[in-house]
Amino acid sequence: MHDERRRIEERVERVHTQRIKPAIYAATVPFEVEAWQAPGEPVSFDEAAAAPYKPFAMDTPWGPPWGTTWFRMRGQVPAEWAGKRVEAVIDLGFIGDWPGNQAEALVHLTDGKPLKAVNPLNQYVPIANPATGGEEIHYLVEAASNPDILADNFSKITPMGDKLTAGDKPLYTFQRADIAVLDENVWHLDLDLQVLSELMVHLEAHDPRRHEIMHALDRAMDTLDLDDVSGSAAAVREVLAPVLAKPAHASAHTVSGVGHAHIDSAWLWPIRETKRKTSRTFSNVTSLADEYDDFIFACSQAQQYEWVRDNYPHVWARIQESVKKGQWAPVGGMWVEADGNLPGGEAMARQLIHGKRFFIEHFGVETKGVWLPDSFGYTAAYPQLAKLAGNDWFLTQKISWNQTNKFPHHTFWWEGIDGTRIYTHFPPVDTYNARFSGEEMDRAVRQYSEKGGGTRSLAPFGWGDGGGGPTREIMERARRLADLEGSPKVVVEHPDEFFKAAREEYPDAPVWVGELYLELHRATYTSQARTKQGNRRSEHILREAELWATTAALHAPGYSYPYDKLDRLWKTVLLHQFHDILPGSSIAWVHREAEAEYARVAKEVEELTAEAIAALGAGEARVFNTSPVERREVVRAADGSLAHTVVPANGSAPLGAGEGTDPVTVTGRVLDNGLVRVEVAEDGTLASVRDLRAGGREVLADKGNLLRLHTDLPNYWDAWDVDKHYKNRYTDLLDTDSVTVVEEDPLRGAIRVERSFGKGSKIVQTISLRAGSPRVDFETDIDWHEAEKFLKAGFPVDIRAPHSSAEIQFGHVQRPTHTNTSWEAARFEVSGHRWVHIAEPGYGVAVINDSTYGHDVSRTVREDGGTTTTVRLSLVRAPRIPDPEADQGRHRFTYSLLPGASVEDAVAEGYALNLPLRIADAAGPAEPVVSVDGAGVTVEAVKLADDASGDVVVRLYESRGGRAEGVLRTGFPLGGAQVTDLLERPLEAAATEGNAVPVALRPFEVKTLRLAVQKP
């Protein structure tokens, strides 16, 4: 037989595109349209309904950037359309290649009830099926003219990312607003052709099935009457029916599809727009559920549900009904789909607590899995936290974006730092916006790594980010692919059902140990430094507020614990941990608002903390220590004087109640406190750091605190990525404006270094040493005006360290310092929290920080045979897309060098730097709310139970990486103790001995204790 593939495939393509698709709507009549542009920010339906409208014609430009235009549409179904399926078809003038992230609209009935959204690939609104003829149609359509920030494939710097800079030129041209008859035969024929032609081209050329489909399509084109597509469509479908009816192979892979609409809680649009995006998408989803009984939609992010509940009660009611019917599946159990690396341990726990609790309270549903398809890597703390929150499975997708190494598994057990394992799936379809195309189905089967062990994978389907979610066309594809030869089988089902079946058939799946590191988007550990700093400080001040509020609730008569305020403030912080806000990958508008929100949180939390401490009663000046370790520290009083004070963990002490220590001496540019001697060079770097406790050991192998300015132009995603070639071009900042001694107190010595460089940038660093502490602090003030640059601070240490240890949530991870394999080489930029530690047997050094996350660790062998291990903190970047002004302006933060440090020392000083001692004129309690005896047993949170019972909740973890035993003692009469899950639900009774609770922890184990207060 002659090879006629090209002729047939080109024939099918032209007829399908040029004749069949245009015939889907058999007849149309236009709406009468009027328009009103809302001034400024979006308005309520009632305000829009009362507004003055003016006639509006098709092909008219509309919509300034970030504007809202309301359209009033009126029309009537012609009488002759009785018995037909009638819809409204609205094209706002959609542009670009993305199905979301541009113009969108929500269609309301005249009583204000949202009906359905209009999106680029979802332009219809049901009117009647069947129509009676003569129906009057009245709509009010709220249309958002959001700019397409993705235009030019992220290669063009744009001012569109903030309403303050976007201008007012209309972005869109309205194309269509019609009442139309849907020709169902033609519509189904269109879908038959899509499924078969896409399946055909992805089968091998030698596969008989490909040729069978091809010739069936050729016969179908012969059957089609080009002059009467509608009249011949049914006959054409009969020709295709036999090839659509052939069942899949018995061993065919199964794709479990679940409806999905990945809606970033902010990204290329502000939070206020996400509130509207959720209402539009959720309206579509509930409408689709009415059409398809077999449709199931999985939706995460409790925050988005809350927005809909508070702003769109009619949509909320429809969601509740869909959940009851089993068509809507709350998943994920987190407040938002947070970044997978940067949130602190307690914050990550709160993400799970608040998310799961919301779904339990509002739907009676306890989610069973963590749904995080799009975060930029995943901490090794996740398995334990997920299990402690009651989860059985974990889903991710983003690891498929790896730049260097292909992740080896799709279904596997993921083992965290403490040994906890959770069943994990990584969909081989490589998208969370699937549409069941032939290419996607081929990819899912081809890439699935567990062939021979498992037979199924998951495919979240639907258009995200304002695309409106799943569509009826995708559902029709799923139905056709349910049992079709040449294709995997498609079944639409709940993710819980998929994970149950996957685990039952493949219980001995392979194990991946440690973090899921994304070999891409490494710059998200650093971009938008003020946003990251706001998060870090918010996490710590909330810890402080909860501790002292708990103390006041137990010891101050009449004090009322601020449950509601703390809940609201925590949710604000959790929202801004979303995986495009905290990583710094959003538009300027988002980060401008984030900084303002963090400032508001700081103000409110400070008020709560001050109120709690004041409630303890008036008294002398006392120092309050929120950290879980005793502090022997120099503090500065309100009058500027310095005092050395010893303060118990989680407790307070009188100001100046410290022991004598060797004084700090300042000789030229040398600071010495008897523990360490620090010499500042003429160029402002550290010429020497000697550990006097270790016989004067020199810590540095070269210039310390070397500030290096790198050229930083990644290959693609500016705010997201730093590519390895950034290391090749740099300037060391060695020129100084001045190096000056600024403090010579016996309790503190300090030298200030000022530098000007680049395009008007300036750095002022105060290098200080306090009495009684080996920690060297670098208080840093940067006025940053660079573009496409990356600033790092390096500490080359004379240590042969085989690995570095970086703090993560509730523990730390070790990463090799060598690059033996491509996996290690790909980790050229990594994340950590408060500290990085390097060591050789007998000696270690830590680098501490109060707000940055990115760093790199490398090692070289010197000519003298010694090894230099260099830790470099990533301080600030200057990407220009999507925010042209990212990181510009002032930054203030502190980082520190800690010579002679163990991991335990790094943990303690990490807390100390991030939780400054507080001085207040108040009466302190006789003893802390809780205290712990036992090295490695670390208190992470102290609060009252969320159920307002008055019980005290304490979250502990083992922080050194080994087994730990200790005793937790209470500063109140203990009435009993329970070990609970993260949601404070009892797991088992805890033994008590008076006011003490013995505690035993495995390495990095997290344990939550619920302590009852004995009633008098």
Side-chain angles (χ1 to χ4, degrees), residues 48-108:
Y53 286 75
K54 295 181 180 179
F56 183 88
M58 295 298 99
D59 297 319
T60 298
W62 71 279
W66 306 113
T68 301
T69 304
W70 286 79
F71 295 97
R72 180 182 287 155
M73 299 182 183
R74 296 188 178 94
Q76 185 175 31
V77 177
E80 59 269 25
W81 291 2
K84 299 183 182 296
R85 184 171 180 172
V86 180
E87 300 177 344
V89 183
I90 301 170
D91 183 347
L92 301 171
F94 302 113
I95 59 174
D97 298 328
W98 281 50
N101 187 42
Q102 52 167 299
E104 305 168 54
L106 182 60
V107 179
H108 299 77

Side-chain angles (χ1 to χ4, degrees), residues 40 149 229 253 276 286 325 364 379 497 581 626 646 720 781 864 873 911:
I149 307 294
V229 173
H253 185 79
R276 301 201 294 177
T286 53
K325 292 193 298 183
T379 171
E497 295 302 314
I581 303 178
T626 312
V646 178
W720 291 257
D781 188 332
D864 65 3
L873 292 183
Y911 276 111

Side-chain angles (χ1 to χ4, degrees), residues 719-736:
W720 291 257
D721 287 348
V722 55
D723 287 324
K724 203 168 190 176
H725 52 253
Y726 90 91
K727 293 185 177 183
N728 300 334
R729 287 188 61 86
Y730 59 84
T731 300
D732 289 340
L733 303 184
L734 299 176
D735 294 335
T736 64

